């Protein structure tokens, strides 16, 4: 991660300021996951750890001890080891970590069990994310018990406090530096979507479009932020379709939901377009309706509005349109009350976006949908998934459309980070024909 020393130290300072006095805060790195033999899954750092350290190696633990005179910000990490580095690549090492990550001190990860109980002495509270890594939970409890046993008069921390709530409030509000990374992730992902639209033609398969997306991500040094969805025809009705291995239907639609990760930050874009480059009248009607819902919803992403507000707006527009298309019947208000749209639209209209694609941060406070504030970033992704039941007119069967953009809450109009991908049927057709 390219966040500066100063930024990283400021985030840690901020977290310590929010913690109870006499606390110790413990944040472990992600673990490497074995795939088989000696082959690993691609390593992805834990987002909380990354946010606070900018450090992308495994086998590390950040410990913050506010007010400790000999150093408040400490990292345990792997030491330099020329033999291991020959196989696995360079390590930052203790000196590198101290210098590059703006920490007060760094110790070998091998000494964690020996040093950590002493750091807990005189601390009343342990901030830790319990339940994410059970083996690490046991280690933390073990250190605390060890301290109490070894030093009979040592108090040792009395209370565990969930780190998530405090830390995730910080992560929810994006800084200028973070927004820069998010705009870059958005731009590369937008280019990838445009590429997929431009190469698409009958005769290709889902793998061809997947390859276009991955090419654009990879040439920019970015991994995908999540498994891309490239779903032709009725595959679009499977919400988490990731097989991406089928031929594309000549006269059908293809739904792409894909975004890359730049410097740890995710983009999340969906577009739906006709394989042939021309929407059928029925496809266009459904697409226009989802787009109208998205425009109305995006316009509600403003400070002071509740998070649920834009979802409710999207549901209202979709329901109205479904009645007009003859896919629902009866009065608008009755349909909304009975949530009849759920037959065609069964997910929420957005989620926070940041280091995680479904980013952290509470959606409700004291039982109420939380109010949007400047520099929160959310997706806005209404959709319609129309099956092939007998009561569905033939022209609308098996049409799945989702349109998704990444929206920043500003003082004024919402900022669409991903608006450079054509979204209207006319603009999509124009790009595909160009
Ligand atoms: N790509 C995952 C989502 O849209 O929520
Ligand atoms: Mn999304
Ligand atoms: Mn998505």
């Amino acid at each position: 991660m390219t966040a500066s020393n100063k930024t990283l130290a400021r985030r840690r300072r901020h977290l310590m300021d929010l913690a109870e006095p006499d606390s110790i805060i413990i944040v472990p790195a992600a673990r490497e996951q074995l795939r088989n033999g000696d082959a690993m899954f691609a390593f992805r750092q834990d987002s909380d750890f990354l946010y606070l350290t900018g450090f992308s190696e495994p086998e590390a633990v950040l410990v913050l001890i506010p007010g400790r005179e000999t150093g408040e910000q400490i990292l345990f990490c792997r030491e330099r080891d020329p033999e291991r580095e020959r196989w696995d690549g360079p390590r930052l090492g203790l000196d590198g970590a101290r210098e590059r990550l703006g920490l007060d001190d760094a110790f070998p990860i091998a000494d964690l069990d020996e040093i950590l109980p002493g750091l807990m002495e005189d601390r009343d509270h342990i901030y830790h994310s319990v339940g994410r890594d059970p083996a690490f939970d046991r280690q933390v409890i073990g250190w605390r018990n060890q301290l109490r046993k070894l030093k009979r008069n040592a108090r040792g921390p009395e209370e565990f406090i969930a780190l998530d709530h405090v830390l995730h409030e910080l992560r929810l509000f994006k800084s200028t530096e973070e927004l820069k990374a998010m705009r870059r992730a958005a731009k590369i992902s937008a280019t990838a979507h445009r590429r997929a639209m431009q190469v698409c033609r009958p005769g290709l398969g889902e793998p061809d479009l997947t390859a276009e997306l991955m090419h654009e991500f990879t040439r920019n040094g970015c991994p995908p932020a999540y498994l891309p969805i490239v779903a032709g025809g009725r595959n679009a009705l499977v919400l988490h379709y990731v097989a991406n291995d089928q031929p594309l239907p000549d006269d059908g639609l293809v739904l792409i939901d894909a975004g890359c990760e730049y410097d740890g930050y995710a983009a999340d874009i969906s577009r739906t377009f006709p394989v042939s480059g021309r929407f059928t009248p029925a496809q266009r009607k459904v697409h226009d309706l989802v787009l109208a819902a998205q425009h109305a919803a995006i316009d509600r992403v403003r400070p002071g509005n509740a998070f649920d507000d834009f979802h409710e707006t999207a549901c209202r527009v979709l329901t109205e349109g479904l009645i007009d298309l003859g896919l629902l019947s009866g009065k608008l208000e009755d349909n909304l009350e009975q949530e009849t749209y759920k037959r065609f639209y069964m997910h929420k209209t957005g989620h926070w976006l940041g280091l995680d694609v479904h980013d952290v941060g509470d959606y409700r406070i004291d039982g109420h949908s939380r109010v949007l504030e400047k520099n929160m970033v959310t997706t806005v992704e209404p959709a319609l998934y129309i099956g092939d039941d007998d009561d569905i007119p033939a022209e609308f069967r098996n049409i799945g459309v989702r349109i998704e953009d990444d929206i920043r809450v500003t003082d004024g109009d919402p900022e669409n980070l991903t608006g450079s991908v054509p979204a209207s049927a006319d603009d999509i057709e124009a790009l595909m024909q160009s």
Side-chain angles (χ1 to χ4, degrees):
M1 183 183 259
T2 52
S4 69
N5 262 353
K6 254 169 87 189
T7 299
L8 295 164
R10 195 179 56 235
R11 288 177 189 167
R12 295 188 291 256
R13 175 84 267 153
H14 201 160
L15 178 60
M16 287 193 284
D17 289 345
L18 291 173
E20 297 284 338
D22 297 322
S23 297
I24 181 167
I25 301 167
I26 306 174
V27 190
R31 290 184 196 270
E32 288 182 295
Q33 303 289 335
L34 194 64
R35 181 168 170 176
N36 48 48
D38 60 357
M40 302 305 228
F41 283 106
F43 179 73
R44 168 55 161 78
Q45 188 56 279
D46 176 84
S47 294
D48 286 340
F49 184 88
L50 191 62
Y51 180 77
L52 293 169
T53 64
F55 187 54
S56 50
E57 294 181 26
E59 296 185 67
V61 177
L62 173 72
V63 183
L64 302 176
I65 317 128
R68 181 173 174 268
E69 283 182 4
T70 47
E72 295 182 299
Q73 308 190 6
I74 293 173
L75 186 74
F76 291 84
C77 65
R78 302 181 303 189
E79 293 183 88
R80 301 291 311 270
D81 178 343
E83 174 63 14
R84 282 316 316 167
E85 288 179 55
R86 167 179 290 274
W87 289 85
D88 303 329
R91 299 176 174 185
L92 201 51
L94 305 183
D95 291 338
R98 271 184 216 108
E99 284 159 27
R100 300 256 292 275
L101 308 175
L103 295 152
D104 294 327
D105 215 342
F107 296 114
I109 187 72
D111 296 347
L112 186 64
D113 284 328
E114 196 180 312
I115 296 175
L116 212 117
L119 297 176
M120 282 181 174
E121 224 175 312
D122 303 326
R123 298 282 143 179
D124 290 333
H125 314 278
I126 302 175
Y127 281 80
H128 166 59
S129 290
V130 181
R132 213 182 285 177
D133 180 344
F136 192 76
D137 292 349
R138 285 194 290 278
Q139 234 178 324
V140 175
I141 293 166
W143 294 324
R144 175 173 167 272
N145 293 346
Q146 191 185 338
L147 172 68
R148 290 184 161 189
K149 207 152 94 193
L150 283 180
K151 306 202 166 195
R152 282 176 199 283
N153 56 355
R155 258 181 320 137
E158 293 289 339
E159 195 191 11
F160 280 90
I161 301 181
L163 173 65
D164 292 11
H165 182 71
V166 195
L167 178 54
H168 295 174
E169 274 305 292
L170 296 182
R171 281 179 52 190
L172 179 55
F173 295 88
K174 273 63 182 182
S175 67
T176 308
E177 218 169 337
E178 292 180 287
L179 288 167
K180 209 168 145 195
M182 291 189 76
R183 288 194 190 97
R184 180 96 184 114
K187 190 166 180 217
I188 295 162
S189 305
T191 305
H193 275 262
R194 284 199 305 270
R195 259 181 82 147
M197 283 180 189
Q198 279 176 302
V199 305
C200 189
R201 57 186 154 76
L204 295 187
E206 293 167 356
D208 296 295
L209 301 190
T210 309
E212 289 299 323
L213 299 164
M214 294 303 295
H215 185 170
E216 193 59 31
F217 295 168
T218 308
R219 67 187 283 276
N220 284 286
C222 296
Y226 53 92
L227 292 177
I229 296 171
V230 179
R234 60 175 303 158
N235 294 337
L237 307 189
V238 179
L239 298 185
H240 291 164
Y241 180 80
V242 288
N244 301 353
D245 60 357
Q246 294 301 304
L248 291 168
D250 288 357
D251 54 357
L253 296 172
V254 55
L255 185 160
I256 296 185
D257 182 343
C260 74
E261 179 177 298
Y262 178 81
D263 208 18
Y265 288 86
D268 185 6
I269 306 177
S270 301
R271 289 291 186 270
T272 312
F273 51 94
V275 173
S276 69
R278 290 269 179 225
F279 286 87
T280 66
Q283 289 167 352
R284 183 181 270 262
K285 278 181 196 162
V286 177
H287 191 275
D288 283 354
L289 174 52
V290 176
L291 188 66
Q294 203 220 18
H295 283 165
I298 291 174
D299 194 50
R300 300 301 299 165
V301 180
R302 293 174 186 274
N305 288 348
F307 181 86
D308 281 350
D309 183 313
F310 70 86
H311 174 62
E312 285 159 13
T313 300
C315 291
R316 176 170 286 270
V317 175
L318 290 174
T319 304
E320 225 166 355
L322 287 165
I323 294 170
D324 289 345
L325 293 179
L327 293 168
L328 290 176
S329 58
K331 293 210 177 82
L332 174 62
E333 297 306 328
D334 293 344
N335 275 280
L336 285 171
E337 199 179 321
Q338 290 158 29
E339 300 182 332
T340 52
Y341 57 83
K342 282 192 172 169
R343 180 178 174 197
F344 305 106
Y345 181 46
M346 54 297 281
H347 57 73
K348 282 285 212 176
T349 305
H351 52 79
W352 305 131
L353 184 72
L355 285 169
D356 296 339
V357 64
H358 287 191
D359 208 30
V360 294
D362 291 335
Y363 290 98
R364 304 187 77 74
I365 293 178
D366 296 332
H368 299 284
S369 177
R370 90 179 287 161
V371 165
L372 297 176
E373 294 175 63
K374 185 178 173 183
N375 290 337
M376 292 171 162
V377 180
T378 180
T379 65
V380 178
E381 49 180 305
L384 286 173
Y385 311 98
I386 305 170
D388 58 1
D389 296 327
D390 291 343
D391 63 332
I392 304 288
E395 53 176 353
F396 290 122
R397 284 184 194 165
N398 292 322
I399 291 182
V401 173
R402 181 163 64 252
I403 306 175
E404 174 174 30
D405 284 295
D406 303 345
I407 310 295
R408 175 173 79 97
V409 184
T410 78
D411 284 333
D413 291 337
E415 176 190 350
N416 188 343
L417 274 51
T418 48
S420 62
V421 195
S424 74
D426 284 346
D427 290 348
I428 288 171
E429 287 185 350
L431 181 68
M432 293 185 77
Q433 244 92 130
S434 70

